[in-house]
Amino acid sequence: MAEALTAHPYWWNSLTPARHARRGQAQQLAYDLGAALAAARSEETSVSLSDAVGATLARDVHALCPVPHYASSAMDGYAVRGPGPWRVVTADTSLHDAASTADLELARGEAVPVVTGGVIPTGSDTIIRDEYALRSGAELRFDRSRPHSELEGRHARPAGTECGSGETILTAGTVLSPADVAFAAVAGVDELPIVPAPAVRLLLTGSEVQGSGIPAPGFVRDAFSPSLPPILAGLGARVDQDSVHRIPDEADAFAAAVERAVAEGVPFIVTTGGTARSRADHVRAHLERHATPIIDELDLQPGHPTLFAAHPAGTAILALPGNPLAAFTALTVLAVPFLRGMLGQPAPTSHAVRIAHDIQGARRERLVPAFQHADGAWSPCRDIGANMLRGLSRADALLSVPVEGLVAGARAEALALPWKPVAGKPDLVTDNP
């Protein structure tokens, strides 16, 4: 795929890079970066309905027939024409199949048995359900002790009640649900155009990182290999057996891993660690030389040293800090809108929440793991340092604490964690970011 992008080496040119980006600005830039990359790659594929659930629709889909595609009965009973009594025109009094009345045309004073979902014959005025019909031989009467509204066509389903042929039934950017796929099926659609899940390559740096067991002093456990792949897959990225690579703290090894991913046409690379500006931070140094920083640091704690860069071959590279809470915070702020933009989905929204007690501000906006009390108010979790995970594991969302802090009862902004939607909780209202 990298070859196809040689005509667009500066696919991010419509964007204005930002240094020390404020959160809202960074979220919008990340979303726009994803949309720009999707436009440059122009990828679309068609899949069968059975493979479409969970995928993102690439373009609008139109009904290939009316729904329902024929006038049908909503009840077992009789289709009739004119005022009763009626003469049943078929000799067979057993249950008819759904298509048996398709070629019939009723004259005034005639009736024919129909089943639920069966074709209503041409000329029919209404449907009388079985339990309201009085039949004697070929003669049919309506039970007058029943509501007269039964004769007003309430059990007839006209063709096109749900949608007409050619009508838009699903819009681009929709994450397809089982109900969407079912609706497409009854509208005559066999395949759906989707945005392929963008492949992601995880380059996890750190010579001190240990994959199992209890680390010795000076070493740390790998918190990212088991957690980042399912998060990214849940956001719509494609994660496979070759997605996760552990890289030692060696500049040449990191450079080789990046260039391999770029050469293979991987659209999204996520790295961890090495984003500060010391001599040991080779991740930032490499990306500043070989890519264009679009978001160069966040005006945010934790996650300040994050870098989001664009590579000319059609790859976006999100470099996360090595501290776990900082990395997960930056991932929530940037990867969520980026992947939504790349998949053509709407930008993520934030949420208005009520604060339980005063919260002190700091020199930058802080995003802190927070939980919701039984009364609907919100408080920060404990253990929320940049290198900590206990607070995050108990959190319901990330709470925005502005520089000036928050007072009890105030409204504040909260961001859903990628693995824990918060919409629908009491005392939480969706707002635009």
Side-chain angles (χ1 to χ4, degrees), residues 55-366:
T56 301
L57 200 62
R59 51 187 166 82
D60 292 355
V61 172
H62 304 89
L64 300 182
C65 63
V67 179
H69 62 285
Y70 62 91
S72 64
S73 174
M75 292 283 177
D76 291 345
Y78 294 86
V80 302
R81 182 173 182 179
W86 304 273
R87 181 175 62 85
V88 180
V89 297
T90 58
D92 184 6
T93 59
S94 64
L95 195 66
H96 281 54
D97 64 59
S100 64
T101 51
D103 298 326
L104 293 178
E105 181 174 354
L106 293 183
R108 188 176 177 83
E110 290 184 336
V112 65
V114 290
V115 296
T116 301
V119 179
I120 297 176
T122 303
S124 302
D125 291 329
T126 192
I127 304 295
I128 299 174
R129 65 171 80 182
D130 271 336
E131 54 266 41
Y132 293 176
L134 301 174
R135 182 169 178 176
S136 178
E139 183 180 77
L140 181 73
R141 293 178 180 272
F142 176 67
D143 184 347
R144 295 295 173 179
S145 68
R146 302 296 189 172
H148 194 266
S149 60
E150 290 295 311
L151 299 176
E152 296 174 357
R154 60 185 294 187
H155 302 310
R157 298 168 176 163
T161 302
E162 288 190 67
C163 70
S165 181
E167 185 176 334
T168 300
I169 56 170
L170 298 170
T171 56
T174 298
V175 179
L176 293 164
S177 69
D180 295 327
V181 169
F183 189 28
V186 298
V189 176
D190 294 323
E191 294 185 333
L192 289 170
I194 65 165
V195 180
V200 64
R201 183 69 53 83
L202 289 163
L203 304 180
L204 311 180
T205 69
S207 299
E208 78 285 5
V209 177
Q210 184 173 313
S212 61
I214 301 174
F219 291 82
V220 296
R221 271 296 296 268
D222 176 9
F224 296 131
S225 292
S227 58
L228 292 183
I231 292 174
L232 292 164
L235 294 173
R238 190 179 84 240
V239 180
D240 54 35
Q241 292 181 342
D242 193 42
S243 293
V244 182
H245 294 252
R246 290 230 52 91
I247 309 296
D249 285 323
E250 299 171 5
D252 290 345
F254 179 77
V258 170
E259 294 313 310
R260 176 190 166 199
V262 168
E264 292 174 358
V266 175
F268 189 30
I269 299 173
V270 177
T271 73
T272 59
T275 58
R277 297 181 181 275
S278 73
R279 289 176 298 173
D281 294 316
H282 53 269
V283 171
R284 174 176 290 276
H286 177 87
L287 296 181
E288 288 178 341
R289 287 196 305 269
H290 299 283
T292 298
I294 303 299
I295 299 171
D296 190 355
E297 300 184 335
L298 296 171
D299 190 14
L300 182 71
Q301 291 178 322
H304 171 68
T306 302
L307 177 67
F308 212 163
H311 193 285
T315 298
I317 306 171
L318 175 58
L320 302 172
N323 280 322
L325 181 57
F328 286 120
T329 300
L331 188 81
T332 301
V333 171
L334 298 179
V336 173
F338 171 78
L339 285 169
R340 282 179 173 261
M342 194 169 184
L343 291 167
Q345 299 172 7
T349 56
S350 57
H351 306 273
V353 301
R354 178 169 54 89
I355 302 306
H357 51 78
D358 293 355
I359 304 174
Q360 188 174 359
R363 63 191 181 96
R364 292 190 179 99
E365 177 191 8
R366 290 186 295 144

Side-chain angles (χ1 to χ4, degrees), residues 234-235 332 336 340 349-351 353 370 372 378 395-398 414-426 428 430:
L235 294 173
T332 301
V336 173
R340 282 179 173 261
T349 56
S350 57
H351 306 273
V353 301
Q372 188 177 26
W378 288 68
D396 293 318
L398 293 178
L415 276 65
L417 295 163
W419 58 90
K420 184 181 286 190
V422 293
K425 281 182 170 287
L428 188 149
T430 300

